[in-house]
Amino acid sequence: PMIDRLGTDCAVAMAVSLHAPNDALRDDLVPLNRKYPIAELLEACKRYLVHAPRDFITFEYCMLDGVNDQPEHARQLIELVRRHDVSCKFNLIPFNPFPASGLLRSPQPRVLAFARTLSEAGLVTTVRKTRGDDIDAACGQLAGDVKDRTRAAERMAQR
């Protein structure tokens, strides 16, 4: 990944869109994962920390109902960051649904339980507050009628 170049050219506090604890699921959610699998990504993150202004990487994790929000996913995340020894923080993001996505937001109790599992394992975890979704103006919704060029809905329907 270009993370190594970013570290030498312009070290900033970095957030990485992780969204899944394993390659099989991340391949569906983040197609770029096929080129840069999780292990390679996490190793690049570790190298980046040498240059970073903070001593941790923030991992963004969009909570998708029934897709990546189960207790086993939280346990897999814990194992993943421990195995790769990456200093990190998790930012759990309730998904802002839009019609073409075919995906739904995880229920709030499930998001909080997921956060609690990570926190109890010693991982700094925050849950992003959602605003504007009641008027379809939350993050990711303002684009209006969007064609899903990533075909995420199609891939998830095949699971």
Side-chain angles (χ1 to χ4, degrees), residues 36-49:
Y36 301 112
I38 292 174
E40 187 175 337
L41 173 64
L42 294 185
E43 290 306 311
C45 288
K46 280 175 53 175
R47 292 189 302 271
Y48 183 82
L49 285 173

Side-chain angles (χ1 to χ4, degrees), residues 22-27 30-38 41:
N22 60 66
D23 284 318
L25 181 54
R26 193 163 190 267
D27 284 351
V30 184
L32 187 63
N33 192 68
R34 293 182 194 109
K35 184 172 182 179
Y36 301 112
I38 292 174
L41 173 64

Side-chain angles (χ1 to χ4, degrees), residues 52-119:
R54 293 185 181 160
D55 61 351
F56 63 91
I57 299 288
T58 298
F59 288 120
E60 305 286 354
Y61 196 93
C62 189
M63 301 293 293
L64 303 167
D65 186 25
V67 175
N68 67 350
D69 63 351
Q70 301 301 302
E72 64 264 21
H73 296 125
R75 290 189 293 271
Q76 289 174 14
L77 280 176
I78 294 163
E79 170 58 29
L80 181 70
V81 297
R82 285 182 177 164
R83 184 173 61 248
H84 288 276
D85 193 30
V86 179
S87 178
C88 64
K89 166 190 166 184
F90 280 94
N91 185 22
L92 304 182
I93 305 167
F95 179 64
N96 292 313
F98 57 96
S101 72
L103 300 166
L104 298 172
R105 174 184 299 158
S106 300
Q108 184 72 359
R110 193 174 311 143
V111 173
L112 296 176
F114 198 98
R116 188 171 41 257
T117 299
L118 297 178
S119 294

Side-chain angles (χ1 to χ4, degrees), residues 6 8 18 45 47-48 51 60 93 118 123 128 133 142:
L6 180 65
T8 56
L18 189 59
C45 288
R47 292 189 302 271
Y48 183 82
H51 306 284
E60 305 286 354
I93 305 167
L118 297 178
L123 299 174
R128 183 176 294 172
D133 56 331
L142 288 174

